[in-house]
């Protein structure tokens, strides 16, 4: 039943998009008194599932759900009907209309799609708002990679402003834009409870634009190592690790944040792990052995 509902939702969504797109061609064509011979949802090679002629236009539903089309007199479209072009142009044909009218008819579908997409995005943004992390709620600050470390940042720094301009929310893109495009070189941070200004060298800033650094995270939000979920039948579940456990130590290395333990777990050469966990008020030691195909 769920599969049927999913397919039905997909077909309904596709139908709405196709109809709106074709209306973008159909409406200006009618407005400019151009004859529309067919308006079809989905394609209809050989036969159609439904059709009805109203005025000069045949409205129908095809059986091939790969789009749709409007057949406008005097215009070669998805139907590839070139026979009518062998005759003299008629006043109601597309090819008889001024260039600006033909342009509007041709661009109408794309324009409608753009407007519809914008309205959907605006509605979702109005209804749900946009998610962001306020700077004053970054309790554990940032974590750094090789690029930000070279700039002078340290794990735990809290970025609060750029050259005196206060940052209300943590936004990597805005920080990079200010450094690269706005020619700012000073980041206001709080380190170990003390406010300070971090002046970044120009060559370090220029490194942000290098193609090889495109996928680098540069800064991230430090998150405490509290396990949220354990996959059923996983190695962790079999070893006795539970959700809400807090990881204190992995293989003798003190770890308090996700970015610290992730490289250890990601290392495919490491097969044996010794976890120190905090569960409630109890400290536990759990040994875990990862097999070849385990993640």
């Amino acid at each position: 039943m769920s599969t049927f509902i999913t397919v039905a939702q997909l077909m309904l969504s596709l139908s709405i998009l196709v109809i709106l797109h074709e209306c973008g061609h159909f409406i200006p064509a009618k407005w400019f008194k151009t004859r529309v011979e067919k308006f079809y949802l989905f394609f209809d090679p050989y036969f159609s599932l439904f059709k009805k002629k109203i005025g000069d236009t045949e409205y129908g539903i095809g059986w091939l759900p790969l789009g749709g089309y409007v057949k406008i007199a005097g215009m070669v479209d998805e139907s590839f009907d070139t026979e009518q072009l062998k005759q003299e142009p008629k006043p109601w044909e597309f090819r008889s209309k001024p260039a600006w009218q033909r342009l509007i008819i041709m661009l109408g579908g794309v324009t409608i799609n753009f407007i519809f997409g914008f309205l959907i995005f605006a509605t979702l943004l109005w209804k749900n708002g946009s998610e962001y992390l306020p700077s004053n709620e970054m309790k554990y600050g940032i974590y750094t990679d090789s690029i930000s470390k070279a700039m002078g940042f340290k794990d735990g720094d809290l970025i609060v402003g750029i050259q005196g301009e206060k940052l209300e929310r943590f936004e990597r893109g805005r920080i990079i834009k200010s450094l690269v495009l706005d020619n700012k070189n000073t980041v206001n941070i709080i380190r170990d409870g003390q406010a300070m200004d971090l002046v970044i060298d120009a060559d370090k800033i220029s490194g942000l634009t290098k193609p090889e650094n495109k996928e680098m995270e540069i800064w991230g939000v430090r998150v405490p190592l509290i396990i949220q979920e354990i996959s059923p039948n996983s190695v962790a579940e079999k070893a006795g690790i539970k959700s809400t456990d807090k990881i204190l130590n992995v293989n003798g290395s003190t770890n308090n944040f996700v970015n610290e333990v992730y490289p250890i777990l990601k290392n495919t050469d490491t097969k044996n792990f010794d976890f120190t966990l905090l569960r409630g008020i109890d400290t536990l030691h759990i040994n875990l052995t990862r097999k070849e195909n385990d993640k």
Side-chain angles (χ1 to χ4, degrees), residues 85-266:
L85 301 183
K86 298 177 181 179
Q87 305 173 14
E88 287 297 317
K90 306 295 191 300
W92 61 80
E93 288 187 342
F94 173 82
R95 53 183 171 155
S96 300
K97 302 301 177 181
W100 65 273
Q101 292 185 5
R102 297 198 302 258
L103 181 63
I104 291 175
I105 293 171
M106 288 189 296
L107 295 180
V110 175
T111 303
I112 287 291
N113 287 149
F114 175 81
I115 294 173
F116 185 60
F118 176 81
L119 289 176
I120 290 177
F121 179 79
T123 302
L124 290 173
L125 190 61
W126 173 76
K127 183 177 184 297
N128 301 322
S130 59
E131 293 185 357
Y132 66 92
L133 179 62
S135 296
N136 57 11
E137 291 187 12
M138 290 181 61
K139 185 177 178 180
Y140 304 100
I142 62 168
Y143 66 82
T144 56
D145 62 12
S146 58
I147 295 178
S148 48
K149 277 187 173 68
M151 291 179 177
F153 292 94
K154 293 183 178 180
D155 289 348
D157 286 349
L158 179 60
I159 300 176
V160 295
I162 302 174
Q163 211 143 307
E165 181 184 351
K166 188 176 181 181
L167 286 178
E168 299 290 344
R169 58 182 73 179
F170 177 72
E171 295 176 302
R172 292 176 59 257
R174 182 180 173 187
I175 298 171
I176 294 173
K177 174 181 177 296
S178 297
L179 294 174
V180 175
L181 300 180
D182 298 339
N183 297 318
K184 296 181 179 180
N185 68 343
T186 304
V187 180
N188 313 118
I189 65 173
I190 296 177
R191 178 178 293 171
D192 299 326
Q194 300 295 318
M196 61 179 292
D197 295 333
L198 185 62
V199 181
I200 305 173
D201 293 339
D203 61 327
K204 300 294 191 302
I205 294 176
S206 64
L208 295 172
T209 62
K210 293 181 179 179
E212 60 266 27
N213 295 331
K214 183 179 179 182
E215 302 301 325
M216 297 292 284
E217 192 163 10
I218 307 177
W219 306 277
V221 180
R222 288 214 298 180
V223 180
L225 267 171
I226 300 175
I227 298 173
Q228 300 296 319
E229 183 179 355
I230 299 292
S231 300
N233 300 317
S234 64
V235 176
E237 183 185 60
K238 293 174 182 177
I241 298 176
K242 299 180 181 295
S243 60
T244 72
D245 284 351
K246 182 176 182 179
I247 299 176
L248 302 177
N249 184 296
V250 180
N251 289 355
S253 175
T254 301
N255 309 102
N256 295 304
F257 299 96
V258 172
N259 64 289
E260 295 172 339
V261 76
Y262 182 70
I264 300 174
L265 300 178
K266 187 180 179 182

